[in-house]
Amino acid sequence: MPRNTLTVEQIVAAAVGLLDEVGLDGLNMRALGERLGTAATAVYWHVKTKDELVRLAGDAIWAEIELPDLDGDWRGAAGALATALHEMLARHPWYGQALGSYLLYGPGKARYDDATLSLYEKAGFTPADADLAAATVFIYVAGSALGSAAQVSLTRRLTRTGQDPAQALEHTMTEAKDIAMAYPTLRKRLNTPAATDYTAAPDNTFTFGLNTILTGLESQLTH
């Protein structure tokens, strides 16, 4: 694809797809050029650095989040925003890694942030408290998504080093459980019929945590 027919939008869309497949470590201009059917130099004509490419791709995925009605039930809307963000981060596990390595900003994220702050202010929070509420929920959502992101990253690393991810995980779980059995509360839990793997999070963990946070925020409005 000649550089004069290539667009930034096409490059960003291809970058998102490549990042979803190979992660941050596998993203480079050569691989991206091959995906687009063009030379790496054609990509550089539009996007100068990997940092810029990750920033653009990282901002583009925020557009996937559908904004709820901000004039209705604020708690329902807050839950919808947080859940949509959590689902987006699960679809693009590389974004969590990028948060700690790249400067990420743009209109996509600004659109989401604006809606979130507007929602909390309409609910009755002061601007300063709306900032705190939005930050608290974001940190929780981002932290909750790290588990799936880490799993994807670990699987890729084990595969690159010639290991079987499933076998390595099973071995790790067995050793972790053996260690946990030395501690009374963990041993009691693991000996129950409904016990899961020691390192596995219970079902509905995200929903439980989100509801707990929103209940706490709601209580602030009554003080």
Side-chain angles (χ1 to χ4, degrees):
M1 184 180 296
R3 70 187 184 193
N4 60 338
T5 62
L6 195 60
T7 66
V8 173
E9 289 75 17
Q10 290 171 325
I11 292 172
V12 171
V16 171
L18 187 60
L19 284 163
D20 289 345
E21 291 180 13
V22 301
L24 283 171
D25 293 338
L27 178 68
N28 56 67
M29 295 304 191
R30 180 177 179 182
L32 185 57
E34 291 176 355
R35 191 179 187 92
L36 289 163
T38 188
T41 52
V43 178
Y44 278 116
W45 184 260
H46 296 275
V47 181
K48 304 302 181 185
T49 65
K50 181 177 178 178
D51 279 30
E52 182 183 2
L53 183 61
V54 172
R55 181 184 70 78
L56 291 171
D59 192 60
I61 59 178
W62 287 85
E64 298 175 8
I65 297 177
E66 183 177 348
L67 301 182
D69 180 10
L70 304 181
D71 295 319
D73 169 41
W74 80 266
R75 179 164 172 167
L81 280 170
T83 300
L85 174 58
H86 189 261
E87 292 172 348
M88 183 271 278
L89 293 175
R91 289 193 297 272
H92 307 291
W94 51 269
Y95 187 85
Q97 182 184 355
L99 276 174
S101 308
Y102 293 85
L103 298 173
L104 301 175
Y105 61 93
K109 185 177 186 303
R111 163 183 168 269
Y112 180 91
D113 291 343
D114 183 77
T116 302
L117 291 175
S118 175
L119 174 65
Y120 286 120
E121 288 187 19
K122 287 181 179 182
F125 291 96
T126 66
D129 285 346
D131 285 342
L132 292 173
T136 298
V137 173
F138 177 78
I139 291 170
Y140 171 71
V141 174
S144 297
L146 286 179
S148 59
Q151 183 68 38
V152 171
S153 179
L154 175 63
T155 299
R156 287 176 179 146
R157 187 182 67 78
L158 292 174
T159 301
R160 285 197 303 269
T161 57
Q163 301 180 65
D164 184 315
Q167 289 182 358
L169 185 61
E170 183 178 358
H171 176 72
T172 299
M173 295 297 183
T174 299
E175 289 198 339
K177 183 175 181 179
D178 289 343
I179 292 171
M181 293 297 283
Y183 298 89
T185 303
L186 291 175
R187 182 171 60 251
K188 181 179 178 181
R189 293 280 170 77
L190 290 170
N191 282 332
T192 60
T196 59
D197 291 331
Y198 167 56
T199 59
D203 292 339
N204 301 318
T205 297
F206 173 74
T207 301
F208 175 85
L210 179 60
N211 285 335
T212 300
I213 290 173
L214 294 179
T215 296
L217 292 175
E218 191 171 36
S219 71
Q220 299 299 309
L221 295 174
T222 63
H223 291 169

